[in-house]
Amino acid sequence: MHKFKPLNDFIFGKTFGEKGDEEQLLSLLNAILAKTKHKKLVKIEIVEHRTFTAEIVGDKTSILDIRAVAEDGTRINIEVQLRDYGNMDRRSLFYWSREFAGGLAKGEDYSLLSNVIAINIVNFEAVAVDDFHTVFHLWEDTHRDCLLTDALEIHFIDMKKFKALPGKDIKNNSLHRWLTFFDQNISDDTLKELMAMDTAIYKANEKMEFLANDKEVLRLYHLREMAQIDYNSGMKKAKDEGRTEGKAEGKAEEK
């Protein structure tokens, strides 16, 4: 059976972002939001906002995110970004603001705007601190306990820092369980252990195994992987050409 990379954003969306995926999405969100002591989510509505086509999946600039709405109206957006395209802070804020503004129809009162939580799962250092999980709000600079509004909350989860974390506690920490599950190099024994501990992880793995038998999903998965490889190759070529050009200019100046 084909083994997917769980954090390929296309597969991630197919596993957590479709109707019927509520159980595993709820579990993942509660594991993430426990850091800020959110009230446990009991019900979530998944917003299916796009149909996956070869054109969308093959577009390396396309954002394949997951959108959901909690019982209290809070809107949640999850994006997986394994490669650093630069400006991740502004990019996240841009997508947060678009989701926030999109929650208000023309002529409605600002009080009707729902809180928006943006969650970024990345595989590079987006935030220069040691913690693998960081959260941002709008606090006052000198009165650090003064929150302007709880409308904004942005999470960054750094997979690289998590993998380097000694003493992962998969027995007691649900987020550690999920992030261990997301590691594409997970052993079969650890996977079995995680599934025995957590029914939501069992269900997520079950969904991935189901997807692995779908020829169209396999085709789109490989298309997405190739789009990412092509982007990386293009970036490397641009950097190499920049270095070569810089060296040539340096030599010209020496003459």
Side-chain angles (χ1 to χ4, degrees), residues 33 38 68-77 96-97 99-104 110-118 137-138 147-154:
L33 299 179
H38 275 273
V69 181
E71 272 183 296
D72 65 356
T74 298
R75 300 159 79 89
I76 303 169
N77 184 279
W96 173 89
S97 64
E99 189 71 33
F100 185 63
L104 193 68
Y110 291 126
S111 63
L112 297 175
L113 280 166
S114 299
N115 293 357
V116 173
I117 299 171
H137 293 88
L138 288 171
L147 183 68
L148 177 65
T149 173
D150 61 355
L152 178 146
E153 181 171 316
I154 299 179

Side-chain angles (χ1 to χ4, degrees), residues 41-60:
L41 300 176
V42 177
K43 191 177 178 184
I44 200 91
E45 180 191 349
I46 293 171
V47 181
E48 291 187 294
H49 63 302
R50 77 167 69 190
T51 302
F52 290 119
T53 64
E55 289 73 29
I56 288 170
V57 173
D59 179 1
K60 50 189 172 282

Side-chain angles (χ1 to χ4, degrees), residues 4-255:
F4 289 128
K5 293 179 183 177
L7 288 180
N8 168 289
D9 53 359
F10 167 65
I11 290 301
F12 187 81
K14 294 288 289 182
T15 305
F16 294 90
E18 297 183 333
K19 301 292 184 187
D21 296 335
E22 289 81 6
E23 183 180 340
Q24 55 265 38
L25 181 59
L26 259 177
S27 173
L28 175 60
L29 288 175
N30 280 322
I32 293 168
L33 299 179
K35 183 179 177 80
T36 45
K37 296 182 172 58
H38 275 273
K39 184 179 177 183
K40 191 171 182 181
L41 300 176
V42 177
K43 191 177 178 184
I44 200 91
E45 180 191 349
I46 293 171
V47 181
E48 291 187 294
H49 63 302
R50 77 167 69 190
T51 302
F52 290 119
T53 64
E55 289 73 29
I56 288 170
V57 173
D59 179 1
K60 50 189 172 282
T61 63
S62 209
I63 307 298
L64 308 185
D65 57 347
I66 292 174
R67 295 169 65 219
V69 181
E71 272 183 296
D72 65 356
T74 298
R75 300 159 79 89
I76 303 169
N77 184 279
I78 310 176
E79 183 187 344
V80 175
Q81 192 60 261
L82 300 185
R83 293 163 181 88
D84 186 1
Y85 299 129
N87 299 308
M88 190 65 198
D89 50 353
R90 292 174 182 269
R91 174 194 178 104
S92 183
L93 198 56
F94 174 77
Y95 285 102
W96 173 89
S97 64
R98 195 169 68 170
E99 189 71 33
F100 185 63
L104 193 68
K106 192 174 180 180
E108 285 186 337
D109 189 87
Y110 291 126
S111 63
L112 297 175
L113 280 166
S114 299
N115 293 357
V116 173
I117 299 171
I119 297 168
N120 303 284
I121 301 175
V122 301
N123 199 40
F124 54 87
E125 185 172 82
V127 182
V129 297
D130 292 337
D131 295 344
F132 74 87
H133 185 186
T134 50
V135 190
F136 295 87
H137 293 88
L138 288 171
W139 299 99
E140 206 282 326
D141 279 356
T142 51
H143 303 276
R144 293 304 176 96
D145 58 346
C146 179
L147 183 68
L148 177 65
T149 173
D150 61 355
L152 178 146
E153 181 171 316
I154 299 179
H155 293 245
F156 287 92
I157 295 172
D158 186 326
M159 288 297 298
K160 259 191 174 178
K161 287 176 183 171
F162 174 74
K163 287 174 190 174
L165 188 72
K168 298 176 184 67
D169 186 7
I170 61 172
K171 187 177 179 182
N172 301 301
N173 190 309
S174 57
L175 183 56
H176 284 202
R177 283 197 294 274
W178 274 113
L179 299 187
T180 301
F181 173 70
F182 290 152
D183 184 350
Q184 69 188 72
N185 299 315
I186 186 175
S187 70
D188 289 340
D189 287 343
T190 303
L191 178 58
K192 285 175 185 173
E193 191 180 355
L194 290 172
M195 289 193 294
M197 287 179 183
D198 200 316
T199 55
I201 289 178
Y202 178 89
K203 190 161 184 182
N205 190 67
E206 193 175 48
K207 177 76 183 279
M208 283 189 192
E209 288 185 351
F210 172 77
L211 293 170
N213 289 307
D214 187 316
K215 288 182 180 178
E216 180 61 9
V217 168
L218 275 172
R219 185 177 79 87
L220 293 175
Y221 168 75
H222 288 303
L223 198 62
R224 189 62 174 172
E225 287 290 298
M226 285 306 300
Q228 302 293 349
I229 291 167
D230 288 348
Y231 181 89
N232 286 346
S233 298
M235 290 297 288
K236 184 179 184 301
K237 185 181 177 186
K239 283 181 182 176
D240 290 345
E241 286 175 353
R243 286 195 199 100
T244 304
E245 195 175 301
K247 285 178 183 176
E249 286 176 0
K251 286 177 181 177
E253 285 175 8
E254 288 172 9
K255 291 178 181 178

